[in-house]
């Protein structure tokens, strides 16, 4: 199935105009109001029967049209140094209903057996979070959640307290709200508001790699997504209390 990746829109109410990337190709799909003005249509050249025409504001293309060729996917391990070398902010948007890396880890089995995984000893990740946040840097994360929570989301909520204690600011956002405000439907890390690492998963939620981009259009979209998600999301502690009270 051909998959479209949302690039950006200049509409405030969820309508057109909008740009999409046709994944696996170099094509950009443009959504806009159909041109019906006879005088404009009469001036078009070499029109084929299969073609249609839409109007989009210049600002949409200036802000969101990709300016560089799409880079190749690289292993996630290749971005590991960025989690130490970023200058001020590392932000993650998590959109999936579960992750194979969680289900295949030993903590998952402990959680499934009823163990409290909220206060486990530091690992390499949390040690680095403590070191970076001690320097004033910020690790931020927004997780999309369904209602009711999936098993994978319940695990992340239970285990996330350890990361919060280490210095991460993790927040949760209902998927319906994310769709309402037009958030992307893919996971990414955004480093220092200049570099995006977009995840690629297979059908089993296994990370295949990441695609790195400093394209201004993609970075701008990630920054806007971060700001909107952060504004509407709920801190982990408050979200956990709300879930417990309705459980």
């Amino acid at each position: 199935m051909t998959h479209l990746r949302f690039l950006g829109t200049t509409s405030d109410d969820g309508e057109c105009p909008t740009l999409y990337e046709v994944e696996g190709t170099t094509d950009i799909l443009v959504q806009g109001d159909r041109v019906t003005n006879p005088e404009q249509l009469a001036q078009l050249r070499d029109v084929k029967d299969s073609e249609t025409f839409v109007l989009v504001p210049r600002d949409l293309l200036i802000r969101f049209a990709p300016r560089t060729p799409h880079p190749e996917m690289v292993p996630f391990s290749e971005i590991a140094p960025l989690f130490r070398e970023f200058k001020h902010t590392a932000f993650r948007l998590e959109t999936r209903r579960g992750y194979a890396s969680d289900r295949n880890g030993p903590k998952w089995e402990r959680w499934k057996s009823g163990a409290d995984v909220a206060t486990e000893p530091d690992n390499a990740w949390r040690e680095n979070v403590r070191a970076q946040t001690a320097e004033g840097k910020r690790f931020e994360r927004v997780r999309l959640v369904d209602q009711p929570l999936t098993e994978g989301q319940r695990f992340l909520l239970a285990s996330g307290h350890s990361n919060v204690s280490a210095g991460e600011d993790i927040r949760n956002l209902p998927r319906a709200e994310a769709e309402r405000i037009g958030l992307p439907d893919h996971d990414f890390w955004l480093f220092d508001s200049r570099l995006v690492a977009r995840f690629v998963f297979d059908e089993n939620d296994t990370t295949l790699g990441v695609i790195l981009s400093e394209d201004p259009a993609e970075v701008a979209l990630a920054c806007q997504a971060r700001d909107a998600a952060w504004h509407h999301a709920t801190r982990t502690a408050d979200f956990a209390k709300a879930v417990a009270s309705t459980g």
Side-chain angles (χ1 to χ4, degrees):
M1 182 180 69
T2 301
H3 183 67
L4 299 181
R5 187 169 68 86
F6 173 80
L7 291 178
T9 181
T10 51
S11 173
D12 294 327
D13 54 10
E15 299 178 355
C16 58
T18 306
L19 290 184
Y20 303 87
E21 177 186 68
V22 183
E23 293 203 334
T25 75
T26 58
D27 295 335
I28 301 298
L29 188 150
V30 180
Q31 174 186 350
D33 290 326
R34 189 187 304 271
V35 176
T36 59
N37 185 311
E39 294 181 355
Q40 293 177 336
L41 291 172
Q43 298 176 61
L44 298 173
R45 296 183 294 179
D46 303 321
V47 176
K48 296 186 295 186
D49 291 340
S50 61
E51 293 179 328
T52 189
F53 311 95
V54 298
L55 291 170
V56 298
R58 183 184 300 272
D59 185 49
L60 178 68
L61 300 179
I62 292 174
R63 292 172 60 188
F64 297 113
R67 293 165 174 79
T68 58
H70 214 291
E72 297 295 322
M73 182 176 67
V74 300
F76 180 79
S77 58
E78 190 164 313
I79 73 169
L82 293 174
F83 295 104
R84 299 185 302 273
E85 297 170 359
F86 73 97
K87 303 301 183 183
H88 51 78
T89 308
F91 171 83
R92 169 76 183 270
L93 179 67
E94 296 184 0
T95 67
R96 300 185 75 82
R97 292 174 171 84
Y99 295 88
S101 57
D102 292 333
R103 298 192 297 269
N104 296 332
K107 185 186 290 190
W108 177 272
E109 293 303 323
R110 294 197 297 274
W111 173 71
K112 292 279 286 185
S113 299
D116 180 6
V117 295
T119 56
E120 297 211 333
D122 277 356
N123 56 13
W125 174 265
R126 290 190 287 273
E127 288 174 356
N128 181 60
V129 169
R130 290 186 189 278
Q132 303 308 319
T133 54
E135 296 180 8
K137 301 179 186 180
R138 302 197 309 274
F139 273 95
E140 300 171 344
R141 200 185 292 250
V142 170
R143 289 172 167 160
L144 303 193
V145 291
D146 294 275
Q147 296 173 326
L149 271 63
T150 66
E151 185 178 46
Q153 291 162 358
R154 288 189 286 111
F155 168 78
L156 287 173
L157 183 60
S159 63
H161 296 285
S162 295
N163 285 31
V164 172
S165 296
E168 278 197 63
D169 192 342
I170 302 177
R171 305 189 180 191
N172 297 267
L173 179 67
R175 189 176 303 277
E177 181 69 2
E179 293 173 351
R180 185 189 70 81
I181 62 178
L183 291 188
D185 62 355
H186 57 268
D187 284 39
F188 65 83
W189 276 102
L190 173 64
F191 297 96
D192 296 330
S193 300
R194 68 167 187 83
L195 174 65
V196 179
R198 179 164 61 88
F199 283 74
V200 180
F201 295 95
D202 68 11
E203 65 277 7
N204 297 314
D205 306 313
T206 299
T207 300
L208 301 178
V210 292
I211 297 174
L212 301 178
S213 176
E214 294 183 278
D215 185 293
E218 189 154 9
V219 171
L221 177 61
C223 289
Q224 291 177 12
R226 174 198 60 199
D227 293 348
W230 203 248
H231 176 73
H232 291 279
T234 303
R235 292 181 183 275
T236 291
D238 296 331
F239 183 76
K241 290 178 183 177
V243 170
S245 66
T246 58

